[in-house]
Amino acid sequence: MQSLSTLAHYFYPQRSNNYRPKLLHPDTLLVLSFVVIGFFALVQTFRFFPTLQSSVLGFVSSVTVEEVIEKTNQERLNYGLKPLRANPQLSAAALAKAQDMLDQQYWAHTSPSGKKPWDFIKSANYNYKIAGENLARDFSRTTDMIQAWMASPTHQANILNAQYEEIGIAIVHGRLEGFDTALVVQMFATPVQQVSQLGDSTITDSSQPEYVTAHNPIQAVESQEEIITQDLAVADSGVATPNKGETFSEKGFSIEGILNVPILSPLRITKILFLAVIMMVVLTLIYDSFIIGNKKNMRIVGKNFGHILLLGCVAFLVILFRGGVIK
Amino acid sequence: MKRELMKSKFSYLSLIIFLVLASFMFLVVWPDVHYQRYLILLISVFYFFWGLIFHLKTDQFSKKIILEYLAISILAGSMLFLITI
């Protein structure tokens, strides 16, 4: 009985709450804001409990190399550009870069020790005239990732760079800065001999390659299977890549497609909670409008319809918000 | 509620137009979370002042009204902001 009256106090306009559900009082709404912030902080603290996080929260990505190549080439075709060819050495370089980011826990084109993308490409024994790199993380879908790159002028410029002819891609799952994530490294280059075959009189020495800023596009691969199954390890480069079916579990991450543990991602669980809060408040507002409308009580409170519009907009944006970071 | 809507249709129309445009911009600027956060701030501040002006016009203004719009704006803004982190 006590709990029922408490429930009514919070959701039903009556004398005890001054004919306005307690949930809609400013102080309760502020408390709700703190609850939301507190919950978010709690989800963030999961990073300090790796075991708990891997069993409850995690990151699940459906991004695949095949799709990345296909969609990247599709973008290039839309602009009348030639599709890119996959190159195992570039893939090895991309994988080495991804591994280095996880090992050294950084998210940047240049490592804390000063290693640049070009160093990984050179370590893979790939002589290039021009090269570049695109990075992405936390994308659950390939389409979103490609859209994000295309929405960024610098990344789009890389994807649509007509000078690139080959591409290497690595997608790895691992823990970065405390959270499970999927890293995508895309390296692009044009080999020196490739340029000379084209009769380009402006070929530069491979020891002095051209760099196209820090971002480069992804290129299409004729056969993704080839990328995975080929022995991508490059002699003398220290770039070790797995054969199909192998994982980097000993290093704390696995190659794309190997790790299939689906759990709730921090973003998804946050969205669920926020939508639940919004729904609770909106339903209370609707109920309050209905009850007070029938009773015709006089009271000076905020406009329920305005609140509903605002919270509806927030719900819409929360639902449509897409995670993912590019660099 | 219908009578209330008709009485203040221009005020609600302005709010709807703003929210639609802001939502559209929020989605368009993705994946730039910095712009998205500016938009979130804009949405929260706009709604707070929209509420105050609305009540000032209708002579239903009080300290409690200010707090209510402030609380709703903070709740909405904090949820949107946190989702972008």
Side-chain angles (χ1 to χ4, degrees):
Chain A
M1 200 62 186
Q2 177 67 30
S3 57
L4 270 180
S5 67
T6 304
L7 209 60
H9 180 67
Y10 273 89
F11 295 99
Y12 184 81
Q14 57 191 17
R15 194 171 187 172
S16 71
N17 52 33
N18 208 16
Y19 296 98
R20 178 74 158 170
K22 180 66 178 166
L23 185 72
L24 305 179
H25 287 210
D27 53 342
T28 314
L29 289 170
L30 280 175
V31 169
L32 209 52
S33 299
F34 287 122
V35 169
V36 161
I37 294 167
F39 180 84
F40 182 80
L42 186 68
V43 171
Q44 298 296 308
T45 57
F46 268 82
R47 70 169 76 186
F48 301 115
F49 303 96
T51 314
L52 185 60
Q53 189 196 9
S54 59
S55 61
V56 181
L57 297 177
F59 184 78
V60 183
S61 174
S62 65
V63 177
T64 64
V65 175
E66 292 92 338
E67 264 195 315
V68 173
I69 292 163
E70 181 193 330
K71 292 188 188 301
T72 302
N73 275 341
Q74 189 56 53
E75 293 293 345
R76 289 177 66 89
L77 288 171
N78 290 343
Y79 284 83
L81 299 170
K82 285 197 299 186
L84 301 170
R85 294 187 307 273
N87 182 286
Q89 285 170 293
L90 278 179
S91 293
L95 192 56
K97 171 61 185 286
Q99 183 178 345
D100 193 56
M101 283 195 288
L102 291 175
D103 286 347
Q104 295 198 47
Q105 292 293 295
Y106 69 95
W107 166 245
H109 290 292
T110 304
S111 76
S113 57
K115 208 169 179 185
K116 295 184 182 301
W118 337 119
D119 297 323
F120 292 99
I121 297 175
K122 282 187 272 190
S123 293
N125 288 344
Y126 186 99
N127 291 324
Y128 62 94
K129 178 179 184 286
I130 183 171
E133 179 186 75
N134 265 356
L135 300 177
R137 61 179 283 196
D138 298 339
F139 283 92
S140 56
R141 297 191 310 166
T142 309
T143 310
D144 291 345
M145 189 179 72
I146 298 293
Q147 277 182 14
W149 272 326
M150 291 303 287
S152 160
T154 53
H155 294 85
Q156 186 196 53
N158 288 329
I159 288 175
L160 302 179
N161 190 327
Q163 296 185 70
Y164 291 131
E165 297 184 355
E166 296 186 340
I167 185 175
I169 300 172
I171 303 173
V172 296
H173 292 266
R175 286 181 71 79
L176 186 67
E177 294 162 348
F179 281 113
D180 287 340
T181 187
L183 293 177
V184 179
V185 179
Q186 300 165 321
M187 288 187 166
F188 292 86
T190 298
V192 171
Q193 61 270 33
Q194 198 72 33
V195 177
S196 59
Q197 281 169 8
L198 295 171
D200 188 340
S201 59
T202 62
I203 298 172
T204 58
D205 191 315
S206 61
S207 61
Q208 293 178 321
E210 287 181 16
Y211 299 143
V212 178
T213 68
H215 313 293
N216 281 329
I218 298 171
Q219 289 205 342
V221 180
E222 290 170 0
S223 165
Q224 175 51 34
E225 189 68 12
E226 184 185 342
I227 292 177
I228 303 293
T229 56
Q230 276 194 1
D231 180 9
L232 300 181
V234 178
D236 303 322
S237 68
V239 178
T241 60
N243 290 321
K244 191 171 187 177
E246 289 181 348
T247 70
F248 283 90
S249 56
E250 73 279 2
K251 289 186 178 294
F253 67 92
S254 67
I255 195 162
E256 170 265 318
I258 305 294
L259 184 68
N260 291 318
V261 191
I263 345 177
L264 282 170
S265 70
L267 178 64
R268 186 169 293 179
I269 199 165
T270 304
K271 280 184 170 190
I272 290 169
L273 174 94
F274 288 0
L275 290 173
V277 168
I278 291 169
M279 192 175 288
M280 183 175 68
V281 176
V282 167
L283 287 177
T284 309
L285 285 164
I286 292 171
Y287 186 54
D288 176 63
S289 297
F290 179 74
I291 298 294
I292 291 299
N294 286 343
K295 286 187 174 177
K296 302 192 188 308
N297 285 9
M298 275 301 293
R299 57 178 193 177
I300 298 178
V301 293
K303 295 299 172 189
N304 284 0
F305 189 64
H307 295 344
I308 292 168
L309 284 177
L310 177 71
L311 292 174
C313 171
V314 172
F316 176 74
L317 295 178
V318 166
I319 291 168
L320 292 186
F321 182 81
R322 292 176 286 181
V325 185
I326 58 173
K327 193 175 277 284
Chain B
M1 187 183 263
K2 193 185 282 183
R3 199 175 56 184
E4 164 69 27
L5 289 181
M6 291 311 293
K7 202 167 71 179
S8 311
K9 58 187 170 195
F10 290 112
S11 295
Y12 284 118
L13 194 64
S14 67
L15 178 63
I16 290 169
I17 290 171
F18 172 80
L19 290 176
V20 167
L21 286 177
S23 302
F24 177 73
M25 287 303 297
F26 186 88
L27 298 175
V28 164
V29 300
W30 180 85
D32 192 327
V33 290
H34 297 294
Y35 279 123
Q36 286 184 321
R37 287 170 190 163
Y38 290 137
L39 283 166
I40 291 164
L41 185 66
L42 184 67
I43 290 171
S44 296
V45 172
F46 178 89
Y47 186 71
F48 176 68
F49 284 106
W50 177 88
L52 297 194
I53 292 167
F54 186 106
H55 284 268
L56 275 172
K57 279 168 63 180
T58 53
D59 288 331
Q60 293 181 330
F61 197 73
S62 70
K63 187 179 160 189
K64 206 174 171 185
I65 290 290
I66 299 174
L67 288 175
E68 182 171 333
Y69 279 95
L70 185 64
I72 280 279
S73 299
I74 289 172
L75 179 64
S78 58
M79 282 192 286
L80 282 176
F81 180 78
L82 292 175
I83 207 88
T84 64
I85 292 177

